[in-house]
């Protein structure tokens, strides 16, 4: 009962003045909340080693963490909305702890799976089909291939179990609680997936059962290395939500997460003719990365870069190696920080450059900057000189980094479309000039007013090179942009991938 005291104190809306049956219900809710936080938010700590005040503070903190994860008001009070979430059937994988980040994936792309036993709730053929389709959800957006085996040890061992089962460290709790759990890639239990046989499994969204396809697709996300998402539209959201199983279940958050581990679908190699040296006035020119350096701007493309000076019309074209021989080609992001240092990024590494010297001790992993392990590359970066905040763009998300404290700001990542309305879903490169941000995506460039939070002009990517060639594109080179069009595109894209709410 010592463990229950902090939550009891937090549950201030109930008191001993209530009738006995309501006091009994209140205590049951407190016990439910304590068990929930112990299981999914790792607060199962020996109370005798803590003072009452410290234990209450810990419990209060974990309750707020849970509320924040589900988008509730983080009051630390056990209110009705919090209890409703806690009573919703869900996945048995914790929302924090070792599952707080995307874990390393399998080192191979061809994986095997084996169904150890079948639920009596469904014909075996329906179970086989549900499992196969649940795995195909992930193979459709990655290079992964899944093969069913009928004996021996497979990468993903699938079983229907009840309560305490075998050597598994996770237990089931009977009907209408935890639906299933899975383990991240690795030896032993790694990849294995268990479903609670005490549930009623079905192929449909029946009111008296749970759709095996939806639950299995979620659990296989864990088997492949994904953690839970706090996006209620994502397949990796921990709570079960009914969905038409005939519709596409992955949100963009799910796709970005799994592709950060395994990459996208393989594409046929592009065969190009002639030289690989980029042309500054190519109408289709795109950039890998852009950064300022004191009074100049550097535009990176492959093994080369262009240099321009704010007050000089000339454009210089050089090889990256002529400045920094130890840097790789095909950089993916770059920016200048307030300390007169350039940071350049490729894949999971970054280098710091001052002048013509790469600073010792580099490259370093990008995770040392505060990125979670699921982030495998940076698409673009730009530092706001006024606030000393750096924005990192990863897919459709952006992080904000405080250059003064050298820590990631809380509340991030945020969707790019929400942080910078009007610029679209993704950013290839970015830099700041005279207080304005310039975002590059494909063959166009967006001039962005940070204070007004809108796009002021749409330009061609190479407008800085003073090219005379007309841009072969449908957008207005110097015209005003209507950000509503970008918003419509954004919502249409989400409709394709995030049709409903999800699951465990």
């Amino acid at each position: 009962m010592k463990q229950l005291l902090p939550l009891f104190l937090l549950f201030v809306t109930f008191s001993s003045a209530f009738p006995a049956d309501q006091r009994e219900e209140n205590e049951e809710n407190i016990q439910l909340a304590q068990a929930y936080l112990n299981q999914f938010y790792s607060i199962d700590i020996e109370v005798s080693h803590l003072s009452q005040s410290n234990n209450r503070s810990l419990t209060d903190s974990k309750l707020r963490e849970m509320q924040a994860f589900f988008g509730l008001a983080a009051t630390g009070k056990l209110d009705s909305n919090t209890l409703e979430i806690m009573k919703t059937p869900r996945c048995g994988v914790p929302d924090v702890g070792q599952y707080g980040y995307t874990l390393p994936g399998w080192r191979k792309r061809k994986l095997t799976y084996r169904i150890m036993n079948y639920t009596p709730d469904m014909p075996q053929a329906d179970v086989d089909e549900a499992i196969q389709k649940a795995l195909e959800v992930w193979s459709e957006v990655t290079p992964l291939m899944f093969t069913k085996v009928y004996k021996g040890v497979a990468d993903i061992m699938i079983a229907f179990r009840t309560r305490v089962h075998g050597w598994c460290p996770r237990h089931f709790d009977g009907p209408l609680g935890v639906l299933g759990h899975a383990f991240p890639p690795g030896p032993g239990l790694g990849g294995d997936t268990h479903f609670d046989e005490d549930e009623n499994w079905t192929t449909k969204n029946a009111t008296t059962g749970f759709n095996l396809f939806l639950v299995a697709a979620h659990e296989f996300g864990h088997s492949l290395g994904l953690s839970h998402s706090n996006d209620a539209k994502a397949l990796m959201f921990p709570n079960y939500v009914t969905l038409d199983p005939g519709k596409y279940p992955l949100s963009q958050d799910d796709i970005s997460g799994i592709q950060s581990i395994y990459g996208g679908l393989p594409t046929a190699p592009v065969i190009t003719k002639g030289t690989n040296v980029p042309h500054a006035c190519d109408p289709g020119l795109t950039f890998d990365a852009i950064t300022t350096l004191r009074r100049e701007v550097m535009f990176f493309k492959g093994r080369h870069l262009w240099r321009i000076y704010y007050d000089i019309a000339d454009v210089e074209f050089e090889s990256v190696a002529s400045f920094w021989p130890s840097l790789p080609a095909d950089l993916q992001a770059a920016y200048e920080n307030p300390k007169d240092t350039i940071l350049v990024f490729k894949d999971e590494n970054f280098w710091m450059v001052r002048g013509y010297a790469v600073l010792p001790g580099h490259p370093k992993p990008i995770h040392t900057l505060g990125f979670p392990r699921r982030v495998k590359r940076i698409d673009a970066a730009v530092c706001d000189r006024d606030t000393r905040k750096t924005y990192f763009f990863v897919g459709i998300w952006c992080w904000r980094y405080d250059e003064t404290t050298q820590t990631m700001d809380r509340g991030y990542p945020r969707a790019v479309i929400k942080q910078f309305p009007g610029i679209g879903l993704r950013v290839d490169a970015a830099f700041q000039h005279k207080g304005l941000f310039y975002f590059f995506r494909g063959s166009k460039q967006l001039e962005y007013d940070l204070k007004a939070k809108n796009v002021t002009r749409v330009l061609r990517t190479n407008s800085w090179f003073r090219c005379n060639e007309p841009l072969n594109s449908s957008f207005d080179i110097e015209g005003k942009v209507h950000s509503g069009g970008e918003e419509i595109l954004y919502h249409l894209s989400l409709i394709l991938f995030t049709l409903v709410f999800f699951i465990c």
Side-chain angles (χ1 to χ4, degrees), residues 20-38:
D21 57 345
Q22 187 161 356
R23 291 202 305 270
E24 183 177 348
E25 179 184 354
N26 294 346
E27 184 163 342
E28 289 178 357
N29 288 334
I30 294 170
Q31 292 175 348
L32 166 70
Q34 185 72 51
Y36 188 96
L37 295 177
N38 283 348

Side-chain angles (χ1 to χ4, degrees), residues 21-286:
D21 57 345
Q22 187 161 356
R23 291 202 305 270
E24 183 177 348
E25 179 184 354
N26 294 346
E27 184 163 342
E28 289 178 357
N29 288 334
I30 294 170
Q31 292 175 348
L32 166 70
Q34 185 72 51
Y36 188 96
L37 295 177
N38 283 348
Q39 184 170 4
F40 303 117
Y41 289 84
S42 305
I43 70 164
D44 194 8
I45 295 175
E46 181 61 44
V47 180
S48 60
H49 294 170
L50 296 170
S51 68
Q52 177 179 314
S53 60
N54 287 341
N55 191 53
R56 178 178 179 180
S57 176
L58 174 64
T59 306
D60 178 81
S61 173
K62 288 300 180 181
L63 189 57
R64 286 199 304 270
E65 184 177 1
M66 175 264 174
Q67 291 168 330
F69 183 91
F70 285 98
L72 304 174
T75 61
K77 308 297 182 184
L78 189 58
D79 53 33
S80 59
N81 291 333
T82 303
L83 277 170
E84 182 180 357
I85 292 290
M86 290 180 170
K87 293 178 180 180
T88 303
R90 57 161 290 158
C91 172
V93 173
D95 299 330
V96 296
Q98 65 177 351
Y99 294 92
Y101 302 106
T102 295
L103 300 169
W106 296 95
R107 295 185 178 182
K108 53 187 177 181
R109 297 298 179 260
K110 295 182 178 180
L111 301 174
T112 58
Y113 70 96
R114 179 183 173 189
I115 303 176
M116 300 294 293
N117 67 330
Y118 290 82
T119 174
D121 302 338
M122 299 167 56
Q124 289 191 14
D126 289 349
V127 173
D128 288 337
E129 182 180 8
I131 296 299
Q132 179 184 344
K133 287 185 175 180
L135 290 166
E136 288 176 352
V137 163
W138 300 108
S139 63
E140 287 177 356
V141 294
T142 66
L144 295 173
M145 298 175 61
F146 300 97
T147 302
K148 184 179 180 182
V149 297
Y150 297 88
K151 60 182 180 179
V153 178
D155 298 311
I156 301 173
M157 302 287 280
I158 302 166
F160 292 84
R161 301 289 190 233
T162 59
R163 304 291 178 168
V164 178
H165 46 282
W167 295 99
C168 182
R170 304 198 185 284
H171 306 157
F172 288 126
D173 53 4
L176 304 180
V178 170
L179 306 180
H181 52 234
F183 297 88
L189 284 172
D192 290 0
T193 302
H194 301 155
F195 304 103
D196 189 354
E197 185 51 76
D198 284 336
E199 309 297 348
N200 180 31
W201 296 105
T202 177
T203 58
K204 301 177 181 179
N205 280 330
T207 57
T208 58
F210 297 98
N211 185 279
L212 179 60
F213 160 71
L214 296 178
V215 177
H218 173 98
E219 298 303 338
F220 292 149
H222 293 311
S223 298
L224 300 176
L226 290 178
S227 61
H228 278 152
S229 170
N230 61 2
D231 182 353
K233 300 180 181 66
L235 177 64
M236 296 312 297
F237 187 68
N239 285 7
Y240 182 87
V241 182
T242 57
L243 165 70
D244 181 352
K247 295 184 177 180
Y248 190 68
L250 293 188
S251 72
Q252 188 58 52
D253 183 63
D254 300 311
I255 295 172
S256 298
I258 199 67
Q259 289 185 347
S260 72
I261 303 175
Y262 300 102
L265 288 170
T267 56
V270 178
I271 301 175
T272 58
K273 296 181 180 180
T275 178
N276 290 325
V277 177
H279 190 279
C281 294
D282 181 353
L285 180 65
T286 62

Side-chain angles (χ1 to χ4, degrees), residues 306-323:
W306 290 271
R307 301 169 67 194
I308 65 168
Y309 296 86
Y310 295 144
D311 303 323
I312 303 176
D314 293 337
V315 178
E316 298 178 9
F317 183 67
E318 307 280 355
S319 69
V320 175
S322 65
F323 290 96

Side-chain angles (χ1 to χ4, degrees), residues 288-294 296-300 324 327 331-346 349-355 362 366 368-371 378-385 388-393 399-408 428-432 437-438:
D288 299 332
I290 304 173
T291 182
T292 55
L293 176 60
R294 298 166 188 163
E296 64 181 278
V297 186
M298 292 184 168
F299 300 79
F300 293 87
W324 307 289
L327 290 186
L331 297 173
Q332 294 158 347
Y335 79 96
E336 181 184 19
N337 70 14
K339 296 181 180 179
D340 199 26
T341 301
I342 296 176
L343 281 74
V344 296
F345 298 79
K346 183 169 183 179
N349 295 314
F350 74 96
W351 293 256
M352 297 185 72
V353 177
R354 185 169 293 128
H362 293 80
I366 59 176
T368 60
L369 296 173
F371 290 103
I378 309 299
D379 295 328
V382 57
C383 180
D384 183 356
R385 296 186 185 93
R388 300 174 71 90
K389 303 279 189 178
T390 297
Y391 295 89
F392 292 100
F393 299 86
W399 272 259
R400 193 173 72 184
Y401 180 83
D402 190 321
E403 294 288 346
T404 302
T405 63
Q406 297 188 355
T407 57
M408 290 290 179
D428 294 337
F431 74 98
Q432 186 183 37
F437 275 11
Y438 291 85

